[in-house]
């Protein structure tokens, strides 16, 4: 028997079918072991010795592999064809050797697609494990461990509130923070454009003013309304004729097939998918045999794939769409790694695969790969210049026409933040001397815009351009930044949170070298040199550790107050922006209001992290929260006075505390407080007064005669009556719900609790299971979401959102659960025996007659 190891059960099932009865294919379910998350897992003083630990949830699975390996004559390691795949194979071999279960013959095979041809061809060309790739993996894993486990404790002790730092993660965060600084430092400039609305032979078009008073205009030439109106008047009074017509042909060549990073970028632009969602979908398509391996820097396609693509083009389009020679692409990435193919369909005659989001991603991959082998698009760009009688005023109109679509017929690449000034519309046919009709003239005000915030697509693109990290890790890196609350997403753009700014400031000030773009990119280059076998991996680690360790010790010796003082100066412009009245921005507003001298604000460190406080503490207790999403003081940070209560005259303060924003009226134990609900976009003084007056009495229940109360609690808005509750939909419902609605809601809530529980609605419905035939559903469960085909239920992993589960993933989870067999039930006979033991012991103290009597009574 020959044992083959792959990563996923879906792959295992497919490959076993291809290989036949002599082969047993088992899945490792990804990595089987890792460095334990504790100090000492990598020991630089012992020549970078590393401890590895088998994942707890892989114990039984690996036992199955070890048991099968003992019976096998040959072990074939067929994990993914990249550095991580090589590492998984190495871990499996090392663990089997440790358990003395390693077959005599051990070989490694790789294939770029899960098709019968690719798998059988790979099995005919086995090789040894690649030691250079394994060394590169060990270096990267040790490097990331030493960075994180050495730097993070420094953060916890010298920057309270910080959660973690990572070699690539921290640099990606710096990119987002740097962009935020650029936006804040940007000063918009006013400029105007003058556009004439014209018409020729019934076709309307726009002509832009490009010369005024004999001077060429650039973008900012008309910098105020006065000059713009003068220019507008000149256009309105002038009679314009066509002076020049320039027609220029353009050729646009198709982009190469997808790499990992370009797939993530384009899926974000065109489908709105996150990088992590894109990679999950691509993994499912790969395991289903629909596409080639999805972690690659390569842009080239195999010769047979190019031939298949050209045949598909010839079958679908006429000969003009097929170039005479095949197109060949070369990578431009700084640190292109293993020479894999680009991401492409395994079969160009198959224009659809998967369903839902998977199907959309396959369509994108298919069209991009197909277009990469098609003819160039031919366009014609026309520029028409108009002049008035004086020759001092000039207008220009541009238009673009597609003469031959070429690859445009299938696919056009998306772009981030495309300049909208291009005029690509059609222009009417005109000749020199023509005078089109001038319908109107408009002067439009504009302001220069700051650089745009990063989207996932543009961030991935920038990381790749700088050579930072690996495209296969971008999805997890970005997700970590979001999970740590260092950044947030709004309208598909990254915004740096205060905690992210504080961490970046700390690293820039105290670990500048290790968040420098050049250093991080250079480290990637070094790791690639290791994978090429040109550098020893331990030498690379020694060079890093020799400088990094002393630097962390140096920072650890500083007092927290010293660190805060440095950050106060470093972040001064951000923490204390100029005031509109021109006064010192560090002046304490509370001291200023109460006439105290010496009230100067500064950054301070506290139990929960950094905050802004007054130098007059404890006389002045003014504080302002900074980078503490989960922190609170004895009193929350005062954000300002909203106004006074109309009846009591007391001031209502808006504050920010440990659990978010709230309002407060009064001081000490007698103060009235209320959290500010998230669903109130128009929160003002009127709403504040309403919240402080809760609970609201809706009325008296017609049956019980007891009051119905509306209020907001820990779990949201609700109704309460006689110790029973009913949920309300929103904060507004607390104040708007009337008696009839309240009685109905309470009755419905009572019926739900007293009667049979309603059948849960599926979160998502997928296709039929290929084996059982049952409809696959994603369901909510008491212990978490799960997938089911009506026969087998399988829990969805915690790191996967239930709404993101694909049909292929669901089938894999169900099959894996079914393979384990039904859950073992505890024997019913053993449990009573344990309970009976103490009764017998106690019975010995009683007379025998008394012991038997109850037994006879029961039998009777």
């Amino acid at each position: 028997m020959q044992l083959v190891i792959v990563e996923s059960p879906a792959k295992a099932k497919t490959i076993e079918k291809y290989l036949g009865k002599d082969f047993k294919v088992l899945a490792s379910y990804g990595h089987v072991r890792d460095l334990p998350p504790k100090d000492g897992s990598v020991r630089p003083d012992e020549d970078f010795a590393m401890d590895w630990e088998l994942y707890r949830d892989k114990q039984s699975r690996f036992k199955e592999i070890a048991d099968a390996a003992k019976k096998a004559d040959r072990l074939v390691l067929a994990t993914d064809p990249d550095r991580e795949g090589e590492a998984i194979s190495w871990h499996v071999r090392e663990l089997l050797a440790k358990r003395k279960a390693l077959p005599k013959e051990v070989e490694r095979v790789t294939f770029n697609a899960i098709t019968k041809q690719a798998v059988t061809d790979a099995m005919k060309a086995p090789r040894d494990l690649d030691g250079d790739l394994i060394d590169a993996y060990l270096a990267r894993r040790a490097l990331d461990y030493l960075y994180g486990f050495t730097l993070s404790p420094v953060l916890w002790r010298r920057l309270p509130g910080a959660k973690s730092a990572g070699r690539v993660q921290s640099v990606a965060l710096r990119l987002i923070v740097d962009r935020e600084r650029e936006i804040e430092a940007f000063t918009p400039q006013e400029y105007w454009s003058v556009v004439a609305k014209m018409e020729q032979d019934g076709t309307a078009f726009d002509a832009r003013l490009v010369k005024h008073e004999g001077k060429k205009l650039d973008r900012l030439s008309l910098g105020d309304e006065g000059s713009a109106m003068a220019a507008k008047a000149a256009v309105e009074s002038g009679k314009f004729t066509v002076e020049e017509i320039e027609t220029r042909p353009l050729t646009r060549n198709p982009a190469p097939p997808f790499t990992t990073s370009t797939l993530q970028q384009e899926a974000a632009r065109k489908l709105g998918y996150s990088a992590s969602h894109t990679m999950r979908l691509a993994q499912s398509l790969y395991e289903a045999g629909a596409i080639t391996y999805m972690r690659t820097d390569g842009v080239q396609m195999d010769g047979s794939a190019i031939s298949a693509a050209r045949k598909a083009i010839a079958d679908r389009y006429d000969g003009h769409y097929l170039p005479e020679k095949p197109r060949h692409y070369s990578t431009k990435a700084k640190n292109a790694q293993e020479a894999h193919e680009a991401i492409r369909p395994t079969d160009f005659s198959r224009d659809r695969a998967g369903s839902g989001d998977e199907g959309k991603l396959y369509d994108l991959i298919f069209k991009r790969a197909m277009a990469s082998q098609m003819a160039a698009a031919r366009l014609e760009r026309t520029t028409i210049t108009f002049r008035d009688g004086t020759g001092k005023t000039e207008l220009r109109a541009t238009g673009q026409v597609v003469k031959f679509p070429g690859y445009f017929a299938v696919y056009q690449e998306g772009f981030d933040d495309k300049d909208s000034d291009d005029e690509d519309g059609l222009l009417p046919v005109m000749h020199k001397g023509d005078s089109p009709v001038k319908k109107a003239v408009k002067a439009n005000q504009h302001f220069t815009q700051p650089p745009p915030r990063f989207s996932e697509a543009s961030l991935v693109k920038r990381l790749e351009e700088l050579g930072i990290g690996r495209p296969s890790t971008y999805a997890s890196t970005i997700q970590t930044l979001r999970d740590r609350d260092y950044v947030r997403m709004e309208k598909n753009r990254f915004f740096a949170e205060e905690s992210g700014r504080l961490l970046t400031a700390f690293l820039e000030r105290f670990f500048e070298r290790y968040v420098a773009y050049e250093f991080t990119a250079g480290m990637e280059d070094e790791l690639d040199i290791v994978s090429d076998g040109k550098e020893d991996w331990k030498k690379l680690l020694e060079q890093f550790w020799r400088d990094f360790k002393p630097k962390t010790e140096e920072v650890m010796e500083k007092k927290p107050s010293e660190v805060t003082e440095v950050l106060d100066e470093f972040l001064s412009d951000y923490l204390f922006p100029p005031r509109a009245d021109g006064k010192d921005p560090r002046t304490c507003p509370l001291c200023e209001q109460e006439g105290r001298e010496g009230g100067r604000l500064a950054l301070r460190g506290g139990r929960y992290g950094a905050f802004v406080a007054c130098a007059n503490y404890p006389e002045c207790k003014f504080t302002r929260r900074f980078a503490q999403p989960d922190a609170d003081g004895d009193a929350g940070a005062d954000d300002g006075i909203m106004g006074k209560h109309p009846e009591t005259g007391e001031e209502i303060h808006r504050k920010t505390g440990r659990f978010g924003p709230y309002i407060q009226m009064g001081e000490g134990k007698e103060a009235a407080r209320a959290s500010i609900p998230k669903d109130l976009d128009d929160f003002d003084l009127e709403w504040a007064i309403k919240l402080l007056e809760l609970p609201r009495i809706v009325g008296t229940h017609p049956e019980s005669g007891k009051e119905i109360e509306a209020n907001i609690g820990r779990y949201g808005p609700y109704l309460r009556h006689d110790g029973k509750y009913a949920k309300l939909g929103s904060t507004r419902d607390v104040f708007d719900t009337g008696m009839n609605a309240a009685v109905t809601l309470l009755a419905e809530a009572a019926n739900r609790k007293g009667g049979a529980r309603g059948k849960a609605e599926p979160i998502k419905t997928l296709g039929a299971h290929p084996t059982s035939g049952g409809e696959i559903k994603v369901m909510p469960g008491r212990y978490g979401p799960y997938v089911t085909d009506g026969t087998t239920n399988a829990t969805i992993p915690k790191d996967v959102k239930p709404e993101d589960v694909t049909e292929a993933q669901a089938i894999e989870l169900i099959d894996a659960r079914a393979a384990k067999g039904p859950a073992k039930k505890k024997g019913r006979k053993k449990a009573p025996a344990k309970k009976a033991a103490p009764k017998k012991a106690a019975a010995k103290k009683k007379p025998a007659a008394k012991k038997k009597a109850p037994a006879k009574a029961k039998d009777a």
Side-chain angles (χ1 to χ4, degrees), residues 274-458:
S274 67
S276 55
H277 186 51
T278 297
M279 294 311 290
R280 279 197 297 271
L281 297 174
Q283 179 82 35
S284 297
L285 289 169
Y286 165 66
E287 291 178 356
I291 64 171
T292 54
Y293 192 54
M294 66 288 162
R295 292 187 178 91
T296 174
D297 291 331
V299 291
Q300 68 280 1
M301 289 201 300
D302 179 76
S304 60
I306 291 175
S307 298
R310 287 174 63 83
K311 182 180 184 303
I313 295 163
D315 291 344
R316 287 171 171 78
Y317 302 96
D318 65 40
H320 295 93
Y321 287 83
L322 188 67
E324 290 184 13
K325 296 180 180 178
R327 293 184 181 276
H328 295 282
Y329 299 91
S330 59
T331 185
K332 294 179 181 178
K334 277 186 180 181
N335 52 3
Q337 206 184 29
E338 298 81 42
H340 300 315
E341 268 194 272
I343 304 168
R344 62 165 177 84
T346 55
D347 182 358
F348 277 94
S349 66
R350 181 184 183 186
D351 57 4
R352 292 185 183 179
S355 60
D357 287 357
E358 265 185 36
K360 292 176 185 176
L361 189 69
Y362 179 82
D363 184 63
L364 200 66
I365 293 167
F366 179 90
K367 288 178 176 177
R368 172 89 166 216
M370 172 87 81
S372 73
Q373 288 300 317
M374 292 179 72
R378 296 197 301 274
L379 303 92
E380 187 176 83
R381 190 168 186 82
T382 302
T383 304
I384 302 177
T385 302
F386 306 86
R387 292 195 189 100
D388 67 352
T390 66
K392 293 183 177 181
T393 306
E394 194 172 287
L395 302 176
R396 184 172 295 155
T398 59
Q400 187 168 282
V401 178
V402 176
K403 305 298 282 186
F404 172 67
Y407 74 94
F408 279 5
V410 174
Y411 180 87
Q412 287 192 58
E413 188 177 11
F415 296 95
D416 288 302
D417 311 309
K418 188 177 179 182
D419 189 350
S420 59
D421 288 343
D422 288 340
E423 297 170 4
D424 295 333
L426 287 170
L427 290 176
V429 175
M430 283 182 273
H431 304 90
K432 191 172 181 178
D434 285 350
S435 294
V437 177
K438 185 169 53 185
K439 293 283 191 179
V441 180
K442 291 188 177 182
N444 302 311
Q445 184 186 35
H446 310 276
F447 291 92
T448 54
Q449 296 297 311
R453 288 182 173 88
F454 285 110
S455 62
E456 277 214 17
S458 58

Side-chain angles (χ1 to χ4, degrees), residues 190-193 220-231 443-445:
E190 180 185 9
Y191 69 97
W192 291 71
S193 63
L220 303 177
S221 293
L222 302 177
D224 56 69
E225 187 175 7
S227 60
M229 291 304 151
N444 302 311
Q445 184 186 35

Side-chain angles (χ1 to χ4, degrees), residues 569-596:
E569 183 182 349
F570 191 84
L571 290 166
S572 179
D573 291 342
Y574 175 70
L575 291 171
F576 311 107
R579 285 173 45 160
D581 59 11
K583 292 183 180 179
D584 183 357
R586 286 181 178 263
T587 301
C588 172
L590 195 56
C591 286
E592 187 177 30
Q593 181 181 333
E594 298 180 1
R596 274 193 300 268

